[in-house]
Every structure is written in C-alpha cells, then in structure tokens.
Amino acid sequence: MTIGVSAVDGPRAPGGGVALESAAVDFVLPDELSAAAPPEARGLARDEVRLLVSDVPSLTHARFRELPSFLRPGDLVVFNNSAMITAAVDVEYGGASAVLHFSTWLDDGAWVVELRDPAGVPWRGASVEAGARLALPGGQVATMRVPWLPDGDRLWVAEVAAAPRGIDIDVRTMLARHGRPITYSYVAERWSASYYRTVFGTVPGSAEMPSAGRPFSEALVTGLIAGGIGLAPITLHTGVSSPETGEPPSPERFEVPEMTARLVEATRQAGRRVVAVGTTVTRALESAATVDGRVLPMAGWTDLVLCADRPARVVDGLITGWHAPGASHLHLLEAVAGGDAVREAYRAALDSGYLWHEFGDAALLFRN
C-alpha cells in the first residue's frame, strides 16, 4: 500500500491554499429548488429521482433507475464505501445554544470540529477562543485549541476528554449515542440517520453523507452487474461541507485499495470508461493518479483541489448531485466535464426544475 504524501503529521493538516476563483458556471438558486426533504417524503423511491445526462453534444432527461442504459459493458463504476456518522451535537458556547460538528479525527486523538449557532452560521475568528471548553453529552468536554488550517478559522482542532467524575467514552461512541446528522437551513425537519445512509456505506467515518451514492438501490446495483458494468470501492471520509464562496475543500482521509487501482487500470487499458460516484470518489482517484494517468494504491490524506489548472486524469464520467452557487465542487465538475458542459447542464437543470442538495436530483456528466 502506498501512503499519500500529504499524510498528516501532528494536529494540523496541510493545505488551506488560496481562495479559488469563480467557477465557469454562475447562477442564482431559487429557494424552491432546494430539496427540503428526502424523495421518500415526496412519494418517490430513492432511485426515482431525476437524472440529467450530459454527453456532449446531447443532454438527456431520465430517472436515476435508468442509469445502466447510459453505461456500456466494461465500464467501471467506482463508489465510496464511507458511511456517515451522526456528527452533530447540541452544546452551549458563551452561554448561548450552539451546534458542534465533528468533521474528522486526527492521528493524535484530537478532532477537527466546526462550531455553529442554531441558525447555521459558523462561529469564526475572534468569536472562537482558544482554550474554550464545551460540555458534551455523556460527560465529556471538548477544548478548542487552534484553527486547523493555516488560512482558515472555521475549522478548529479540539481535544476531547472526560470531565471530572464524567464517563470516559470514545468520541465515536458518544456520537453514536447522542449525535444527529449534520443539517443545514434548507432542511427544516430533522430526519433520522437512516435517510442519510447509502447502499454502499460500510465503513463509518464521514461527517456528512457521500450523497451522490444515495439514489442507488440494491436493485439498481444488481442491474449494473447484470449489464456487465463493473463496480469497485474507494474510501473517502468526508468532512463538513465548505459553504463559503471561494473556500477550497479541506483535507480528507482516503484510501484507494490495490484491487480498485488494478480494476481502474484494466478498464482504461481496455478503452472503457471510469465513472466516479460523486466528487469524493473523483478526489480520491485523482489523488492516487500519476501524471500519465495510472492509479496507484494509496492511503492517507488528500488536499488535492481539482480545477482548470489540474484537470481530471482518470475519471471519464461523474455521477453527482447539484451543487450550490460558489461551491468548490463546481471546479471539480469542470475538471472532469469541462466548463461549457457544466454550464449547459446547470442551465438545463434550472430551466427544468431539478432539485438541489443531498435529497435532490442527480446528474451524469461525461468527459467531452
């Protein structure tokens, strides 16, 4: 197993970088196109959400369960087997109600966290004090230490320990008992963790659901296999979302197993397509890709930012949800499909009333 060169050494992660320039796609998202509830609440099965397929010059409107008809025998679908943990807990900060998001764990036992007010606004900069102590459910205390990234103040490193006479339990156990899924303002109702599970999720560790995998059903996976389409896993544990315009994605833990690397190489050698389920899979595969487009087994941390200056080398197609204006994910979409194709797909989605965010509709974008 090759270890990623950006593995964390100590309590602070590499990267941070500079703010990204605006993506080629620029739009205003109407409030009514934000999916406020799972499709099941709208009377749809998971695989009945809409699917827009961009294969330049054509744009096709379909349902997600029709995905196999847009793939070919010998194509390889790579999915993320990371499962969401219930990473949000209610706390008090400065005498006021707050929500603490647990983003990822560090090798020294500390955690990367994000503190927000009840309205969902991140506390940042001087509003977060180093040394501040937050009482957690289950008798633990999180102590805020330092900002995690050199150029950011939204994510902090926190040490978690048992309070005096408290019960010393593992953070993961505390989150499993007392945590809830991370949500944002467009989802007004709290839905149980079962709505945030994907058919692929077997390795707990993501702060938020790898949402591109949500529309897959067991029947759909069976249909892919029956159609001669391969499937292979990677693991990338997502951190909390990056909601700030121009803010680059944070470093994330990932692993590309040896067998997946071999399957990707065999698929490319055969002239077939590698299709990533989500930006998480794309980031993992491209982090493990050499300059000439070979994928190596690799594990560690990635701070790779895909954009016009660093286009995709391996991924030929991307299954994805619809991302908010200014999101760094838009740069990744352009790195795979190109700015013109992404811009046209988003225009068609807006005109046709597709729904956004983790409970919304989906797209399949091919490299043009």
Side-chain angles (χ1 to χ4, degrees), residues 3-97:
I3 302 299
V5 295
S6 54
V8 165
D9 182 16
R12 298 179 70 174
V18 297
L20 294 170
E21 297 179 358
S22 297
V25 55
D26 186 20
F27 63 99
V28 175
L29 180 64
D31 290 342
E32 63 269 20
L33 295 187
S34 290
E40 295 92 321
R42 306 192 297 271
L44 298 175
R46 287 188 176 218
D47 59 7
E48 288 181 319
V49 298
R50 301 175 71 187
L51 175 69
L52 189 149
V53 181
S54 171
D55 194 358
V56 175
S58 66
L59 279 175
T60 305
H61 299 280
R63 292 288 172 178
F64 198 85
R65 60 177 48 174
E66 299 174 70
L67 174 67
S69 66
F70 298 100
L71 301 176
R72 305 168 189 157
D75 286 347
L76 180 68
V77 172
V78 184
F79 60 87
N80 188 357
N81 64 11
S82 178
M84 185 208 72
I85 59 177
T86 47
V89 294
D90 296 318
V91 297
E92 285 192 2
Y93 180 72
S97 297

Side-chain angles (χ1 to χ4, degrees), residues 96-316:
S97 297
V99 180
L100 190 66
H101 294 166
F102 284 79
S103 184
T104 191
W105 67 99
L106 300 176
D107 295 338
D108 63 358
W111 280 75
V112 177
V113 299
E114 178 194 49
L115 189 64
R116 289 176 175 252
D117 68 20
V121 178
W123 263 303
R124 29 190 337 142
S127 61
V128 179
E129 296 182 1
R133 293 164 58 86
L134 290 81
L136 302 175
Q140 291 178 306
V141 173
T143 303
M144 308 293 274
R145 291 303 185 197
V146 292
W148 188 40
L149 301 175
D151 300 320
D153 57 4
R154 182 172 59 87
L155 300 173
W156 279 68
V157 175
E159 294 179 2
V160 181
R165 297 180 299 280
I167 302 173
D168 189 7
I169 61 173
D170 178 73
V171 171
R172 290 172 178 267
T173 302
M174 182 273 294
L175 292 175
R177 292 178 182 174
H178 304 287
R180 55 180 171 81
I182 291 175
T183 58
Y184 297 101
S185 58
Y186 53 83
V187 178
E189 185 176 346
R190 290 186 181 179
W191 297 89
S192 71
S194 64
Y195 289 97
Y196 295 85
R197 296 192 180 108
T198 73
V199 71
F200 301 122
T202 56
V203 184
S206 282
E208 299 182 19
M209 171 181 59
S211 56
R214 191 184 194 279
F216 283 84
S217 62
E218 292 182 0
L220 179 53
V221 171
T222 300
L224 291 171
I225 296 171
I229 298 158
L231 289 104
I234 61 88
T235 304
L236 186 141
H237 295 308
T238 69
V240 297
S241 293
S242 176
E244 308 301 319
T245 299
E247 185 176 341
S250 301
E252 294 170 314
R253 291 179 178 271
F254 81 106
E255 179 181 1
V256 176
E258 182 175 356
M259 184 55 67
T260 295
R262 289 182 180 181
L263 287 170
V264 170
E265 185 65 16
T267 299
R268 301 185 75 243
Q269 289 292 331
R272 301 305 186 185
R273 298 174 298 185
V274 176
V275 178
V277 180
T279 58
T280 60
V281 172
T282 304
R283 194 182 198 194
L285 289 178
E286 295 294 336
S287 296
T290 62
V291 174
D292 59 356
R294 293 181 300 116
V295 171
L296 304 176
M298 188 170 290
W301 289 79
T302 176
D303 56 5
L304 175 66
V305 177
L306 290 167
C307 58
D309 293 334
R310 170 47 171 100
R313 298 167 178 167
V314 174
V315 173
D316 302 301

Side-chain angles (χ1 to χ4, degrees), residues 340-356:
D340 290 343
V342 174
R343 186 164 46 246
E344 182 63 18
Y346 269 71
R347 182 201 61 77
L350 288 165
D351 289 347
S352 302
Y354 278 66
L355 296 181
W356 256 246

